[in-house]
Amino acid sequence: PSSPFMPRMVAVFLIHLFDRGQAVHARRTWYRSGMKRFHLIVALVFAALLTTACRDEAESRQAEFYVFGTLTGVTLWDVHEAESQRAFARLQETFQGMHRDWHAWQPGELTRVNEALAGGEEVATSEDIVELVRRSQELERLTGGRFNPAIGALIGLWGFHTSDYPIIGPPPERPEIEALLAGRPSTLDIRIDGLRLVSSNAAVQLDFGAVAKGYAIDIACAQLRELGIDNAIVNAGGDLRVIGSHGDRPWRIAVRAPGGGIVGSLETGRDEAIFTSGNYERFRQEETRRYPHILDPRTGWPVEDLASVTVIADEGLLADAAATALIVAGRSGWREVAQSLGLDQVLLIDGSGKVYLTGRMAGRIELLDGIESEIVEFATE
Ligand code: ADP
Ligand code: MG
């Protein structure tokens, strides 16, 4: 049973037919040229050599990884075979390490850090986790606490420390929610000293579910760059970051619509991240009532105003955190939060499937006919 307010599927996916299209076009041109037989053979041999040369240089190379339970495709351009193998091996190791170290509930580095924070003890940890805390502090401040990864205990209380959705059953008891809210956990309670962390508030429990994917993709892109790879795309189930470009042909991605289908498509630009936060896939269900997995840290309850938010930003971490924060801000508050984050490429879909977009986003996306939409006035534009 699906509630009309909780559209089932909204996500972004990639369409890439370009390579195939080019190959077909090239073959037709050969046939049409009408050369003599000898010339044709010479041409074919030459073409074969050319194709081999191209295959070694300009072709795309792809690999897939699991990143936080999401099948993640990595595509590289203009990279030799050996180079791509090196890059993929490095990414495999990186993604595995993140999965192990950043997990909010499986025992590992982050649960160890959380235990120390709850006990008021100082704890030394990894550069990545310190950076996640530092960036989270900044983003929590800029979003007025709508994005707050210190609410791990609350997320756990709701049962969202699982990969098994939907969760069946009633919401937690109000007094339990109130008790955790009363602790007022905030990343700003954490003091950073080099690689050491200590919290002045025992209620702080870190859960990077809303930014981990974004930061993981950023790190992956940085590593690709270090390896001298300038053109690549890392796509974690529709959340993606592009570095460089795909030759002179941009990628076209589609934004999925609530309840299936798509609302439209857009071309990816150079060096940008596109992230969508949806309130429709992961939730707790009690009979026909749904409680989605994004919580308003100020009330302790799930937010339901918007079905999905898509954000384009320079980096994955910001885009990921922003998409979550804007869902929490809802229809009345998202503009203020987007402005404070310096973002002007935003698309929102409400519970009835209506699309709201900023002028800059409207200039990029091609909406399908019949999609109800509204361009929202936005002060920074
Ligand atoms: P998705 O990638 O599934 O669309 P998000 O990026 O929005 O989801 O992250 C949702 C996850 O973030 C939740 O599962 C939870 O772990 C955590 N979370 C939920 N609400 C908040 C919040 N207000 N601030 C920070 N993290 C949150
Ligand atoms: Mg997010």
Side-chain angles (χ1 to χ4, degrees):
S2 71
S3 134
F5 295 105
M6 225 19 78
R8 278 174 300 125
M9 296 285 290
V10 187
V12 185
F13 64 91
L14 280 167
I15 310 169
H16 54 111
L17 304 164
F18 304 121
D19 292 329
R20 191 159 299 170
Q22 272 171 313
V24 168
H25 176 72
R27 216 173 296 138
R28 280 204 203 111
T29 317
W30 281 115
Y31 286 136
R32 253 188 251 127
S33 58
M35 280 180 279
K36 282 186 204 152
R37 197 176 166 164
F38 174 72
H39 285 136
L40 183 62
I41 291 169
V42 171
L44 284 175
V45 170
F46 184 66
L49 289 173
L50 202 70
T51 324
T52 325
C54 287
R55 191 168 295 147
D56 220 36
E57 271 163 31
E59 226 178 58
S60 70
R61 307 195 185 270
Q62 282 159 330
E64 282 180 331
F65 307 88
Y66 270 97
V67 182
F68 311 121
T70 305
L71 191 62
T72 300
V74 178
T75 306
L76 316 176
W77 284 276
D78 300 325
V79 175
H80 290 277
E81 175 65 24
E83 223 182 318
S84 72
Q85 290 310 324
R86 243 190 328 270
F88 291 147
R90 172 105 186 258
L91 292 186
Q92 176 67 31
E93 217 174 283
T94 303
F95 288 139
Q96 260 170 9
M98 291 164 173
H99 187 85
R100 197 180 52 229
D101 295 344
W102 303 356
H103 214 286
W105 67 93
Q106 277 171 18
E109 181 61 14
L110 189 60
T111 58
R112 188 181 73 86
V113 167
N114 275 335
E115 270 169 40
L117 296 178
E121 295 157 27
E122 195 175 70
V123 61
T125 186
S126 66
E127 262 172 53
D128 291 346
I129 289 181
V130 172
E131 188 60 12
L132 276 166
V133 172
R134 199 191 316 276
R135 294 297 309 276
S136 293
Q137 290 180 328
E138 173 200 348
L139 291 165
E140 185 186 330
R141 201 181 294 121
L142 289 172
T143 62
R146 289 167 184 87
F147 166 77
N148 178 0
I151 61 167
L154 202 54
I155 293 166
L157 176 67
W158 274 92
F160 297 140
H161 280 164
T162 179
S163 324
D164 244 354
Y165 283 95
I167 305 157
I168 307 294
E173 301 290 336
R174 278 171 194 277
E176 288 180 289
I177 296 174
E178 294 308 318
L180 290 184
L181 274 188
R184 303 179 68 84
S186 162
T187 58
L188 299 163
D189 298 324
I190 299 174
R191 203 185 67 230
I192 303 174
D193 177 11
L195 292 183
R196 287 191 299 275
L197 307 175
V198 64
S199 174
S200 57
N201 180 353
V204 169
Q205 289 289 282
L206 296 170
D207 175 326
F208 293 118
V211 272
K213 210 197 283 173
Y215 191 44
I217 291 180
D218 288 342
I219 290 177
C221 287
Q223 292 185 341
L224 291 176
R225 279 250 157 86
E226 270 175 45
L227 292 169
I229 293 166
D230 297 321
N231 302 297
I233 186 161
V234 181
N235 174 20
D239 290 329
L240 60 97
R241 180 164 169 180
V242 183
I243 53 177
S245 62
H246 178 196
D248 14 285
R249 288 159 177 270
W251 286 72
R252 199 152 189 99
I253 66 163
V255 181
R256 273 195 208 158
I262 70 171
V263 296
S265 66
L266 58 88
E267 282 181 359
T268 60
R270 291 181 69 90
D271 301 303
E272 65 181 11
I274 308 180
F275 272 70
T276 298
S277 236
N279 230 344
Y280 43 88
E281 257 176 350
R282 301 181 183 174
F283 46 81
R284 165 181 285 282
Q285 177 129 20
E286 185 193 28
E287 287 164 18
T288 58
R289 181 91 175 80
R290 283 183 180 186
Y291 301 93
H293 74 141
I294 297 173
L295 303 177
D296 186 334
R298 299 156 308 171
T299 66
W301 285 77
V303 286
E304 300 178 85
D305 197 15
L306 295 170
S308 90
V309 173
T310 300
V311 171
I312 304 180
D314 291 346
E315 46 154 25
L317 185 142
L318 173 59
D320 198 356
T324 306
L326 295 184
I327 287 220
V328 174
R331 279 184 50 190
S332 60
W334 71 269
R335 264 177 288 188
E336 197 190 320
V337 176
Q339 262 156 19
S340 106
L341 293 172
L343 299 170
D344 61 1
Q345 299 187 73
V346 179
L347 180 151
L348 309 91
I349 306 179
D350 73 10
S352 69
K354 181 171 173 188
V355 172
Y356 301 83
L357 10 72
T358 58
R360 240 192 114 191
M361 184 64 107
R364 292 192 55 173
I365 192 163
E366 237 175 85
L367 290 174
L368 293 190
D369 288 343
I371 298 287
E372 194 192 347
S373 70
E374 182 182 327
I375 298 175
V376 181
E377 256 179 67
F378 198 64
T380 61
E381 293 185 293

